[in-house]
Every structure is written in structure tokens, then in C-alpha cells.
Amino acid sequence: MGMETRTHFKVDKTKCIKCGKCRNVCSGMVIDYNKDGYPYMKSFERFGWRGCWRCQHCLAVCPRGAISIFDKDPDDSLPPVPKEMGQYTEQLITNRRSCRRFLDKNVDPQIIDHILNAMQAAPTGGNSCNVEYTVIDDKERVKEIWKIAYATMEAKAKKHEYTHSFSDFFYGKMKESEKTVRKDDLLFCGAPHLFIAHEKCTGKWAEDSKVNCNVATTYFELLCNAYGLGTTIMSYPAEVLNELVPAARKMLNIPEDHYTKLIVGFGYPEITYARGVQKERKNKIHRYSSETSQR
């Protein structure tokens, strides 16, 4: 049995209009035409560089919903994003802020389910889909981990022992922030929930694994904001768990060879913002267009 049979690639000839779009979007170049002009999947050695990338682009691009792959029904797919979503997405990105004060309550599980379902489509290099998501959606469980991590962090700070990026000065500033912006918690900012994207990070694709995790973190953070949740992307807590409190990392069941550079704290925000800020970074944008070349 060839590898191509494992894709369950099927074409409904009563719907197919032989437009060729499925062939032209196939990254693995394993879709071709039969003599009758209908698409079929060629034999291939294995998934990835030597065959199908499992991207489902063929299913998504078909204008008539004639293609099924991996037993997926085209009718079960979401429709394309309407054009007006561009404006809403612009507002979402412009208005999201780091939240460092949260309500002490669990987020509605249905909201988290919606976000995690969408996260299954987060992009990865080579469509590897190897990123794992650890989500603590119970605030009491977060508090258990926090107690261990915070106590160890404080004890080491008294000995002037910190993570690689911290010092007496930085730790002092963070302690000061507990009086206001971080609400008695410089570690997790009082976030009731945590999200960690992690992936095995070894071998020649190690750097790709890191990028995959960072991309997933960004997608998750924006999805949370789209649902009205507050978020903060935290690198220092990840350092604490990795460098100072390995017991806390074990409580999360994250393997030692997995990349965990960023943690997202999320929950209902205690403080909401009335408007977006007005940042100007045009000097950071290097745009090359026909107008530029004529100057």
C-alpha cells in the first residue's frame, strides 16, 4: 500500500470543474491530472519533503468543495475571512496591551475551547505541527505552581542569585512594581491561567522549533485578546522555571529537551483600556516601492 493511499485523497467528479487550483497549490507537487482531466494524488515516498505536506490546501482551495483529504468533509470547514475583518484585525493589534492585573476567576471553559480549537491551525515550519500546548485553565493549579516557584525565587534573591538576565537592580524594580502594576506578584502578574507553547528542540531543525513556539505564542495571545481576555507574554517566569525551579517545570510535565522561552498569562482583565495608544515607528519601516525608486 503506497503512502498516497494514507491521505484518503478523493475527488467528487460531479462537482469538480477541472480548474487546476488544487494542483497549483500543492507544495509537495503530488497532485496531477488523469487522462480524463480530473486530479489524483501521485505515489510518494513519505510525508514532508518527499511527498504530501498534509497542509490540506487542496481541500481549502477547491471552489466547488469537490476534494476531500484525510477524510475531511469540505462542508465542515470555516468560510473565508470577509474583507471587513481587515479593519477589525487592525484594531485588535493596535489596541492589545500587556495586562498585569487580572480578576481572580477562571475564564469560561467554552472560550478557552474556542481558542485552542483555532490554535490547531497555527502555522509551523514545514507544516510539522509538532508544537505542543500546555494550558493551565484552573487558577488553583496555577497558585500551586506559583507558591513553589515564588518561594524559591525569593529565597535565591536574598542570596543575590538570579536568572541569567536579572540582577539586584532588575529584581528590585520588579519588587517595586508589585505595589502597583503587578498586584503583589512579580512572577505571573496574578494571571489565573498560563499557556506555554513548547517543542522538542534538538538537531538541525532546533531553530525552527523555537520559531514555531514563538509564532504559536503570538497567535494565542491575539486570539485571547479577540475574545476580550487580558494577556501578558512573559520571558522572566520562563527563566525562573527553567533555571531556578525545575520542580515547577516538572509539575507542568514539560520534557527537559523542549524549548520554553515564553509563557502567556491570561484571564479576565481587572482594568480595561478606553482607547489604543499612538505609537510611531515609521523610521523602523524600510519600504521599497516604485515611489521610493523614483526619489
Side-chain angles (χ1 to χ4, degrees), residues 221-242:
E221 198 256 358
L222 287 175
L223 279 165
C224 283
N225 279 270
Y227 276 93
L229 301 179
T231 57
T232 178
I233 299 178
M234 307 178 290
S235 59
Y236 173 65
E239 290 181 11
V240 170
L241 298 188
N242 287 327

PDB file of all heavy atoms in Angstrom, residues 221-242:
ATOM      1  N   GLU A 221      -1.912  34.663  21.912  1.00  0.00           N
ATOM      2  CA  GLU A 221      -2.085  35.945  22.585  1.00  0.00           C
ATOM      3  C   GLU A 221      -3.113  36.813  21.865  1.00  0.00           C
ATOM      4  O   GLU A 221      -3.974  37.442  22.498  1.00  0.00           O
ATOM      5  CB  GLU A 221      -0.734  36.659  22.663  1.00  0.00           C
ATOM      6  CG  GLU A 221      -0.658  37.771  23.684  1.00  0.00           C
ATOM      7  CD  GLU A 221      -0.733  39.144  23.054  1.00  0.00           C
ATOM      8  OE1 GLU A 221      -0.807  39.216  21.818  1.00  0.00           O
ATOM      9  OE2 GLU A 221      -0.727  40.133  23.798  1.00  0.00           O
ATOM     10  N   LEU A 222      -3.074  36.840  20.545  1.00  0.00           N
ATOM     11  CA  LEU A 222      -4.031  37.646  19.784  1.00  0.00           C
ATOM     12  C   LEU A 222      -5.440  37.058  19.859  1.00  0.00           C
ATOM     13  O   LEU A 222      -6.426  37.796  19.939  1.00  0.00           O
ATOM     14  CB  LEU A 222      -3.577  37.765  18.330  1.00  0.00           C
ATOM     15  CG  LEU A 222      -2.379  38.685  18.091  1.00  0.00           C
ATOM     16  CD1 LEU A 222      -1.935  38.620  16.634  1.00  0.00           C
ATOM     17  CD2 LEU A 222      -2.713  40.128  18.473  1.00  0.00           C
ATOM     18  N   LEU A 223      -5.532  35.741  19.839  1.00  0.00           N
ATOM     19  CA  LEU A 223      -6.850  35.108  19.954  1.00  0.00           C
ATOM     20  C   LEU A 223      -7.485  35.435  21.304  1.00  0.00           C
ATOM     21  O   LEU A 223      -8.682  35.717  21.382  1.00  0.00           O
ATOM     22  CB  LEU A 223      -6.726  33.592  19.787  1.00  0.00           C
ATOM     23  CG  LEU A 223      -6.642  33.082  18.353  1.00  0.00           C
ATOM     24  CD1 LEU A 223      -6.155  31.638  18.317  1.00  0.00           C
ATOM     25  CD2 LEU A 223      -8.008  33.195  17.671  1.00  0.00           C
ATOM     26  N   CYS A 224      -6.686  35.403  22.357  1.00  0.00           N
ATOM     27  CA  CYS A 224      -7.202  35.761  23.674  1.00  0.00           C
ATOM     28  C   CYS A 224      -7.754  37.178  23.679  1.00  0.00           C
ATOM     29  O   CYS A 224      -8.857  37.445  24.187  1.00  0.00           O
ATOM     30  CB  CYS A 224      -6.101  35.636  24.730  1.00  0.00           C
ATOM     31  SG  CYS A 224      -5.736  33.950  25.249  1.00  0.00           S
ATOM     32  N   ASN A 225      -6.999  38.100  23.110  1.00  0.00           N
ATOM     33  CA  ASN A 225      -7.445  39.497  23.058  1.00  0.00           C
ATOM     34  C   ASN A 225      -8.702  39.649  22.218  1.00  0.00           C
ATOM     35  O   ASN A 225      -9.558  40.490  22.519  1.00  0.00           O
ATOM     36  CB  ASN A 225      -6.320  40.378  22.523  1.00  0.00           C
ATOM     37  CG  ASN A 225      -5.308  40.743  23.586  1.00  0.00           C
ATOM     38  OD1 ASN A 225      -5.437  41.751  24.265  1.00  0.00           O
ATOM     39  ND2 ASN A 225      -4.292  39.911  23.755  1.00  0.00           N
ATOM     40  N   ALA A 226      -8.831  38.839  21.169  1.00  0.00           N
ATOM     41  CA  ALA A 226     -10.024  38.902  20.327  1.00  0.00           C
ATOM     42  C   ALA A 226     -11.268  38.487  21.105  1.00  0.00           C
ATOM     43  O   ALA A 226     -12.381  38.918  20.799  1.00  0.00           O
ATOM     44  CB  ALA A 226      -9.847  38.009  19.100  1.00  0.00           C
ATOM     45  N   TYR A 227     -11.083  37.665  22.123  1.00  0.00           N
ATOM     46  CA  TYR A 227     -12.196  37.226  22.970  1.00  0.00           C
ATOM     47  C   TYR A 227     -12.334  38.080  24.229  1.00  0.00           C
ATOM     48  O   TYR A 227     -13.042  37.718  25.159  1.00  0.00           O
ATOM     49  CB  TYR A 227     -12.027  35.758  23.361  1.00  0.00           C
ATOM     50  CG  TYR A 227     -12.532  34.801  22.310  1.00  0.00           C
ATOM     51  CD1 TYR A 227     -11.688  34.290  21.334  1.00  0.00           C
ATOM     52  CD2 TYR A 227     -13.880  34.413  22.290  1.00  0.00           C
ATOM     53  CE1 TYR A 227     -12.154  33.414  20.372  1.00  0.00           C
ATOM     54  CE2 TYR A 227     -14.353  33.540  21.327  1.00  0.00           C
ATOM     55  CZ  TYR A 227     -13.493  33.035  20.362  1.00  0.00           C
ATOM     56  OH  TYR A 227     -13.968  32.172  19.416  1.00  0.00           O
ATOM     57  N   GLY A 228     -11.637  39.216  24.268  1.00  0.00           N
ATOM     58  CA  GLY A 228     -11.781  40.137  25.381  1.00  0.00           C
ATOM     59  C   GLY A 228     -10.989  39.783  26.616  1.00  0.00           C
ATOM     60  O   GLY A 228     -11.221  40.338  27.691  1.00  0.00           O
ATOM     61  N   LEU A 229     -10.025  38.860  26.486  1.00  0.00           N
ATOM     62  CA  LEU A 229      -9.199  38.476  27.624  1.00  0.00           C
ATOM     63  C   LEU A 229      -7.951  39.344  27.697  1.00  0.00           C
ATOM     64  O   LEU A 229      -7.489  39.873  26.686  1.00  0.00           O
ATOM     65  CB  LEU A 229      -8.798  37.005  27.518  1.00  0.00           C
ATOM     66  CG  LEU A 229      -9.939  35.993  27.450  1.00  0.00           C
ATOM     67  CD1 LEU A 229      -9.380  34.580  27.319  1.00  0.00           C
ATOM     68  CD2 LEU A 229     -10.848  36.096  28.666  1.00  0.00           C
ATOM     69  N   GLY A 230      -7.395  39.464  28.890  1.00  0.00           N
ATOM     70  CA  GLY A 230      -6.134  40.152  29.061  1.00  0.00           C
ATOM     71  C   GLY A 230      -5.002  39.150  28.955  1.00  0.00           C
ATOM     72  O   GLY A 230      -5.153  37.979  29.321  1.00  0.00           O
ATOM     73  N   THR A 231      -3.859  39.591  28.442  1.00  0.00           N
ATOM     74  CA  THR A 231      -2.713  38.697  28.289  1.00  0.00           C
ATOM     75  C   THR A 231      -1.416  39.433  28.612  1.00  0.00           C
ATOM     76  O   THR A 231      -1.336  40.657  28.487  1.00  0.00           O
ATOM     77  CB  THR A 231      -2.587  38.176  26.841  1.00  0.00           C
ATOM     78  OG1 THR A 231      -2.500  39.301  25.945  1.00  0.00           O
ATOM     79  CG2 THR A 231      -3.763  37.304  26.450  1.00  0.00           C
ATOM     80  N   THR A 232      -0.425  38.665  29.021  1.00  0.00           N
ATOM     81  CA  THR A 232       0.921  39.201  29.137  1.00  0.00           C
ATOM     82  C   THR A 232       1.888  38.106  28.714  1.00  0.00           C
ATOM     83  O   THR A 232       1.805  36.973  29.195  1.00  0.00           O
ATOM     84  CB  THR A 232       1.227  39.693  30.567  1.00  0.00           C
ATOM     85  OG1 THR A 232       2.572  40.168  30.629  1.00  0.00           O
ATOM     86  CG2 THR A 232       1.035  38.610  31.606  1.00  0.00           C
ATOM     87  N   ILE A 233       2.775  38.424  27.783  1.00  0.00           N
ATOM     88  CA  ILE A 233       3.790  37.478  27.330  1.00  0.00           C
ATOM     89  C   ILE A 233       5.003  37.633  28.238  1.00  0.00           C
ATOM     90  O   ILE A 233       5.591  38.708  28.314  1.00  0.00           O
ATOM     91  CB  ILE A 233       4.179  37.730  25.862  1.00  0.00           C
ATOM     92  CG1 ILE A 233       2.953  37.568  24.957  1.00  0.00           C
ATOM     93  CG2 ILE A 233       5.273  36.760  25.423  1.00  0.00           C
ATOM     94  CD1 ILE A 233       3.228  37.857  23.485  1.00  0.00           C
ATOM     95  N   MET A 234       5.371  36.560  28.924  1.00  0.00           N
ATOM     96  CA  MET A 234       6.380  36.642  29.978  1.00  0.00           C
ATOM     97  C   MET A 234       7.595  35.767  29.668  1.00  0.00           C
ATOM     98  O   MET A 234       7.452  34.564  29.432  1.00  0.00           O
ATOM     99  CB  MET A 234       5.765  36.189  31.309  1.00  0.00           C
ATOM    100  CG  MET A 234       4.486  36.932  31.659  1.00  0.00           C
ATOM    101  SD  MET A 234       3.711  36.362  33.213  1.00  0.00           S
ATOM    102  CE  MET A 234       3.113  34.744  32.738  1.00  0.00           C
ATOM    103  N   SER A 235       8.771  36.395  29.676  1.00  0.00           N
ATOM    104  CA  SER A 235      10.006  35.642  29.478  1.00  0.00           C
ATOM    105  C   SER A 235      10.704  35.359  30.807  1.00  0.00           C
ATOM    106  O   SER A 235      11.307  34.294  30.988  1.00  0.00           O
ATOM    107  CB  SER A 235      10.959  36.402  28.545  1.00  0.00           C
ATOM    108  OG  SER A 235      11.277  37.684  29.074  1.00  0.00           O
ATOM    109  N   TYR A 236      10.621  36.306  31.760  1.00  0.00           N
ATOM    110  CA  TYR A 236      11.283  36.105  33.057  1.00  0.00           C
ATOM    111  C   TYR A 236      10.741  34.885  33.803  1.00  0.00           C
ATOM    112  O   TYR A 236      11.520  34.068  34.317  1.00  0.00           O
ATOM    113  CB  TYR A 236      11.174  37.355  33.922  1.00  0.00           C
ATOM    114  CG  TYR A 236      11.689  37.161  35.325  1.00  0.00           C
ATOM    115  CD1 TYR A 236      13.043  36.893  35.575  1.00  0.00           C
ATOM    116  CD2 TYR A 236      10.823  37.204  36.415  1.00  0.00           C
ATOM    117  CE1 TYR A 236      13.510  36.691  36.860  1.00  0.00           C
ATOM    118  CE2 TYR A 236      11.287  37.003  37.709  1.00  0.00           C
ATOM    119  CZ  TYR A 236      12.628  36.743  37.925  1.00  0.00           C
ATOM    120  OH  TYR A 236      13.089  36.532  39.204  1.00  0.00           O
ATOM    121  N   PRO A 237       9.421  34.699  33.898  1.00  0.00           N
ATOM    122  CA  PRO A 237       8.917  33.494  34.564  1.00  0.00           C
ATOM    123  C   PRO A 237       9.415  32.206  33.915  1.00  0.00           C
ATOM    124  O   PRO A 237       9.656  31.212  34.609  1.00  0.00           O
ATOM    125  CB  PRO A 237       7.400  33.631  34.432  1.00  0.00           C
ATOM    126  CG  PRO A 237       7.177  35.097  34.362  1.00  0.00           C
ATOM    127  CD  PRO A 237       8.325  35.616  33.547  1.00  0.00           C
ATOM    128  N   ALA A 238       9.567  32.221  32.577  1.00  0.00           N
ATOM    129  CA  ALA A 238      10.091  31.042  31.898  1.00  0.00           C
ATOM    130  C   ALA A 238      11.528  30.777  32.344  1.00  0.00           C
ATOM    131  O   ALA A 238      11.930  29.623  32.544  1.00  0.00           O
ATOM    132  CB  ALA A 238      10.032  31.234  30.385  1.00  0.00           C
ATOM    133  N   GLU A 239      12.306  31.857  32.518  1.00  0.00           N
ATOM    134  CA  GLU A 239      13.678  31.707  33.015  1.00  0.00           C
ATOM    135  C   GLU A 239      13.673  31.119  34.431  1.00  0.00           C
ATOM    136  O   GLU A 239      14.501  30.258  34.760  1.00  0.00           O
ATOM    137  CB  GLU A 239      14.388  33.065  33.032  1.00  0.00           C
ATOM    138  CG  GLU A 239      14.697  33.627  31.668  1.00  0.00           C
ATOM    139  CD  GLU A 239      15.412  34.964  31.765  1.00  0.00           C
ATOM    140  OE1 GLU A 239      15.838  35.335  32.881  1.00  0.00           O
ATOM    141  OE2 GLU A 239      15.537  35.647  30.732  1.00  0.00           O
ATOM    142  N   VAL A 240      12.758  31.591  35.260  1.00  0.00           N
ATOM    143  CA  VAL A 240      12.681  31.103  36.642  1.00  0.00           C
ATOM    144  C   VAL A 240      12.400  29.606  36.663  1.00  0.00           C
ATOM    145  O   VAL A 240      13.050  28.841  37.386  1.00  0.00           O
ATOM    146  CB  VAL A 240      11.592  31.867  37.433  1.00  0.00           C
ATOM    147  CG1 VAL A 240      11.342  31.201  38.778  1.00  0.00           C
ATOM    148  CG2 VAL A 240      12.009  33.319  37.631  1.00  0.00           C
ATOM    149  N   LEU A 241      11.430  29.173  35.864  1.00  0.00           N
ATOM    150  CA  LEU A 241      11.084  27.754  35.834  1.00  0.00           C
ATOM    151  C   LEU A 241      12.209  26.912  35.246  1.00  0.00           C
ATOM    152  O   LEU A 241      12.436  25.779  35.683  1.00  0.00           O
ATOM    153  CB  LEU A 241       9.797  27.536  35.033  1.00  0.00           C
ATOM    154  CG  LEU A 241       8.527  28.213  35.560  1.00  0.00           C
ATOM    155  CD1 LEU A 241       7.322  27.742  34.774  1.00  0.00           C
ATOM    156  CD2 LEU A 241       8.321  27.932  37.031  1.00  0.00           C
ATOM    157  N   ASN A 242      12.906  27.461  34.259  1.00  0.00           N
ATOM    158  CA  ASN A 242      13.968  26.697  33.597  1.00  0.00           C
ATOM    159  C   ASN A 242      15.261  26.660  34.407  1.00  0.00           C
ATOM    160  O   ASN A 242      15.938  25.632  34.460  1.00  0.00           O
ATOM    161  CB  ASN A 242      14.256  27.284  32.214  1.00  0.00           C
ATOM    162  CG  ASN A 242      13.155  26.982  31.217  1.00  0.00           C
ATOM    163  OD1 ASN A 242      12.523  25.940  31.286  1.00  0.00           O
ATOM    164  ND2 ASN A 242      12.927  27.900  30.291  1.00  0.00           N
TER     165      ASN A 242
END
